[in-house]
Amino acid sequence: MFTEENLKKVEEIKKRYPTSQAALLPVLWIAQEQFGWISEDVMRYVAELLGLPYSHVYGVVTFYTMYNKKPVGKYHIQVCTNVSCMLRGAYENLEYLEKKLGIKVGQTTPDMKFTLTEVECLGSCGTAPVVQVNDDYYEDMSKEKLEKLIEQLSRDRK
């Protein structure tokens, strides 16, 4: 169940959109912020709350990479591997992070500190290669910059 505060937010969102279907994306964002990820139970809850078929909510959640379908670590590292980033070293960065963190893409470190994900375009092609950590973008990334970033995050400092 949403907190009372989040239920109020949902009601405000519903007032701004012509249909419940149109309100789905921001309501799912609220759900992810509260629960940390979008489980099947959360999808069913949101579907019921908005009066939508579960299949529609499921389709939206599984289509967009911005929704976590399983728990993620404290730092969700998302590496863009679309064309611009790929041409400027995204796969080398991804391999470096796998080695540095000791996990593969889609995995989380045993201490639940880092999750590594490969994503499609983050929309920052002019500053490729790009890495997103939680809601923050890190542009023109190199192995050296990633090394410093991981060290800072390991000490819980951005």
Side-chain angles (χ1 to χ4, degrees):
M1 298 279 295
F2 279 137
T3 63
E4 193 64 39
E5 179 183 341
N6 281 340
L7 281 172
K8 288 177 186 174
K9 287 180 185 178
V10 168
E11 289 308 312
E12 287 300 313
I13 287 169
K14 286 168 63 175
K15 289 177 189 175
R16 288 187 297 202
Y17 291 92
T19 65
S20 291
Q21 194 172 23
L24 179 57
L25 293 176
V27 171
L28 285 170
W29 196 252
I30 289 170
Q32 182 163 279
E33 285 179 339
Q34 179 174 325
F35 302 112
W37 64 293
I38 309 291
S39 67
E40 284 189 29
D41 288 341
V42 170
M43 285 185 252
R44 291 184 197 289
Y45 173 67
V46 168
E48 185 179 314
L49 190 65
L50 295 178
L52 296 171
Y54 168 78
S55 60
H56 179 74
V57 175
Y58 177 85
V60 169
V61 170
T62 56
F63 177 79
Y64 289 104
T65 59
M66 66 187 196
Y67 298 118
N68 303 320
K69 277 71 87 186
K70 60 183 183 179
V72 295
K74 180 176 183 177
Y75 298 110
H76 186 191
I77 303 172
Q78 300 168 77
V79 179
C80 176
T81 56
N82 213 316
V83 176
S84 295
C85 289
M86 176 191 66
L87 292 173
R88 299 214 52 225
Y91 283 110
E92 290 83 359
N93 287 344
L94 196 58
E95 289 173 17
Y96 170 78
L97 287 168
E98 285 181 328
K99 190 173 184 178
K100 176 75 177 170
L101 299 172
I103 58 174
K104 296 289 183 192
V105 169
Q107 295 180 333
T108 300
T109 56
D111 62 1
M112 292 298 292
K113 195 158 202 173
F114 298 101
T115 297
L116 184 60
T117 306
E118 179 181 357
V119 295
E120 284 297 317
C121 188
L122 290 172
S124 191
C125 301
T127 58
V130 178
V131 171
Q132 182 177 347
V133 179
N134 298 341
D135 295 328
D136 298 321
Y137 274 30
Y138 296 87
E139 301 166 319
D140 194 29
M141 293 305 286
S142 63
K143 292 176 189 173
E144 295 77 24
K145 288 181 179 179
L146 287 169
E147 176 76 26
K148 288 179 185 174
L149 178 62
I150 296 302
E151 285 177 20
Q152 289 173 334
L153 296 175
S154 293
R155 293 188 306 264
D156 288 324
R157 285 184 274 173
K158 284 189 178 182

